[in-house]
Amino acid sequence: MYKPDNVKTSPDFPIPDTMRAWVLGDPDQLTLTTKPVPVPKRAEVLVRIDAVAICATDLEIISHGPPAMIQGGLPYNKNFTPGHEYMGTVAALGPGVDEYNIGDRVTVEIHAGCGQCKRCREGMYTSCHNYGLNYGDVDKGHRANGFTTDGGFAEYAINSINTLVRISDEMSDEEATLVVTAGTAMYGLTELGGLVAGESVVITGPGPIGLLGVAVAKALGAHPVILTGTRDNRLKIGLELGADYVINAKNEDPVAAVRKLNGGKGVDYVVECSGAPEAVNEAARMVNRGGRICLAAFPGKPAEVDIAYIVRNNIYIYGIRGEGKSATHRAEAFMAQKRFDATKVHTHTFALEDLPTALKYARERIEDAIKVVVKTHGHAAMNRVAAE
Ligand SMILES: [Zn+2]
Ligand SMILES: [Zn+2]
């Protein structure tokens, strides 16, 4: 039985020595294997993973590698377990940890910065200057679950206490996996200067971050909130999450439609979540003079940008990475208060052993899949046990 030195465990949460974990071999090759249950160090806990959501970035990593970086390079054939949008239960405490108890339900942020570089000290731990320096003889303390360290497609994972967000029993496992997605949208709006109630915002791209961006912007008091996209079923969910207007870019010119909806001047903010090649130029024409654009998606190729237009109109452009400045805690506060129903973007649930099917659903958007969740414990996993 798992009982490492200086690690606090509890008889209420017996932990096996080994666990099931998916491991990435060559590109697109995932194998369900057995690994030792990892051991938390100072300021870390062991989290029993109860549910993990699949993100478009997981699909990128599994097929192409970046932005994951393991041992300074591509993540293939390094015994690496991807997956980063997970929640679970604190199962063991590293030395000195008294901030959490065994049995606490938590959802987790992805990035634990080194805590000592300039950016970490500013709360920008997703931009840590020691990113990925956590292998071999080099250990700067930086961790990014499922990017630079083992992630959540497994039964257990290590997390710095800085990345934990306590959740109430009222929040389902599936909803809790979405806190970090809402947190990313919250971080984007924070970096734009903190949306002020009554200011206008456009969200481009109704993926999970875009849809929850609508919900967070609305909860912050933005008005109007406009969502643009090309899929009616997703735009409809945007309306349910609080969008005042939706624009289907297949049916009308989104720039003209946005400007018309806001008195011809354009809006105060655009949060770009589509990654489309023309997105930056369109966003620049959607904001008013002096407006601000947050880029939260990355296009597959370099894009041509009309810089002269941006300069002439004093438009500010921000790139964000992930969920810095404890934005996840603020997003969780909205969700705990039921200011919006994030579960509207959750569409499918599979058991851990069915991860390849779950990834296929997410990649091919089978049955209009948006957020696909894999459950390690609970119903989906239990059904299988019952069937055996
Ligand atoms: Zn993600
Ligand atoms: Zn750092």
Side-chain angles (χ1 to χ4, degrees):
M1 207 42 127
Y2 180 91
K3 192 84 189 73
D5 289 347
N6 302 319
V7 171
K8 190 174 171 196
T9 56
S10 160
D12 297 336
F13 275 84
I15 302 164
D17 286 322
T18 59
M19 63 176 187
R20 291 180 302 157
W22 286 93
V23 164
L24 187 59
D26 288 330
D28 289 316
Q29 279 187 0
L30 283 164
T31 311
L32 185 58
T33 176
T34 301
K35 279 188 181 182
V37 172
V39 176
K41 295 188 282 197
R42 195 189 142 272
E44 292 177 344
V45 302
L46 179 71
V47 173
R48 183 192 74 189
I49 297 164
D50 296 332
V52 51
I54 293 170
C55 171
T57 311
D58 293 318
L59 305 173
E60 252 329 278
I61 289 168
I62 291 166
S63 296
H64 302 111
M69 188 171 78
I70 301 296
Q71 297 165 10
L74 290 171
Y76 301 114
N77 298 304
K78 289 175 177 164
N79 204 31
F80 163 63
T81 298
H84 60 272
E85 298 184 356
Y86 60 88
M87 59 75 59
T89 308
V90 174
L93 309 178
V97 171
D98 57 7
E99 293 84 353
Y100 288 87
N101 295 312
I102 292 171
D104 284 350
R105 287 180 82 230
V106 291
T107 190
V108 303
E109 296 187 28
I110 300 151
H111 299 82
C114 71
Q116 60 205 29
C117 75
K118 177 179 180 174
R119 292 297 174 229
C120 280
R121 286 173 58 81
E122 293 172 340
M124 293 175 67
Y125 41 86
T126 63
S127 318
C128 175
H129 287 178
N130 287 313
Y131 189 91
L133 294 179
N134 51 10
Y135 55 90
D137 294 338
V138 183
D139 187 0
K140 289 288 191 178
H142 171 273
R143 296 181 65 88
N145 316 317
F147 287 90
T148 67
T149 52
D150 277 338
F153 296 142
E155 289 181 295
Y156 293 89
I158 297 295
N159 270 90
S160 162
I161 55 169
N162 290 347
T163 65
L164 303 182
V165 182
R166 216 180 248 107
I167 49 168
S168 79
D169 286 343
E170 282 168 39
M171 190 181 283
S172 70
D173 291 354
E174 288 85 344
E175 183 175 8
T177 65
L178 300 167
V179 172
V180 73
T181 311
T184 302
M186 177 70 88
Y187 184 44
L189 290 164
T190 306
E191 291 305 279
L192 285 174
L195 186 64
V196 175
E199 293 188 304
S200 47
V201 60
V202 169
I203 312 278
T204 52
I209 293 176
L211 288 169
L212 293 182
V214 165
V216 171
K218 195 66 190 174
L220 288 167
H223 187 82
V225 176
I226 303 167
L227 174 66
T228 69
T230 56
R231 290 165 170 257
D232 281 331
N233 64 317
R234 292 195 175 200
L235 294 172
K236 183 170 162 284
I237 295 170
L239 286 171
E240 291 168 12
L241 284 167
D244 297 293
Y245 305 100
V246 294
I247 296 164
N248 189 327
K250 276 189 178 157
N251 304 338
E252 54 186 325
D253 171 14
V255 173
V258 162
R259 296 189 80 91
K260 196 170 146 212
L261 282 171
N262 212 41
K265 282 201 166 65
V267 295
D268 299 310
Y269 303 97
V270 171
V271 183
E272 206 301 286
C273 303
S274 76
E278 266 305 295
V280 177
N281 291 325
E282 289 188 358
R285 284 162 175 81
M286 287 176 182
V287 289
N288 50 38
R289 299 196 79 205
R292 298 176 186 220
I293 299 168
C294 171
L295 304 176
F298 28 84
K301 291 189 190 130
E304 209 163 280
V305 176
D306 185 351
I307 293 171
Y309 184 89
I310 291 165
V311 173
R312 279 201 304 270
N313 291 288
N314 203 133
I315 291 164
Y316 300 89
I317 297 185
Y318 299 75
I320 62 150
R321 172 72 190 267
E323 68 313 332
K325 293 191 180 164
S326 299
T328 305
H329 289 262
R330 297 195 290 285
E332 192 278 336
F334 273 156
M335 289 166 68
Q337 294 170 72
K338 304 206 184 306
R339 297 283 291 276
F340 55 84
D341 180 6
T343 63
K344 287 182 184 298
V345 308
H346 165 240
T347 53
H348 295 77
T349 303
F350 292 91
L352 180 67
E353 53 270 35
D354 297 327
L355 179 67
T357 312
L359 291 167
K360 186 176 160 70
Y361 267 67
R363 182 178 281 118
E364 297 173 18
R365 297 176 181 172
I366 295 170
E367 295 167 7
D368 289 332
I370 304 178
K371 263 298 179 204
V372 178
V373 171
V374 170
K375 285 200 86 170
T376 310
H377 291 264
H379 297 299
M382 251 133 89
N383 285 345
R384 184 160 183 280
V385 172
E388 276 172 353

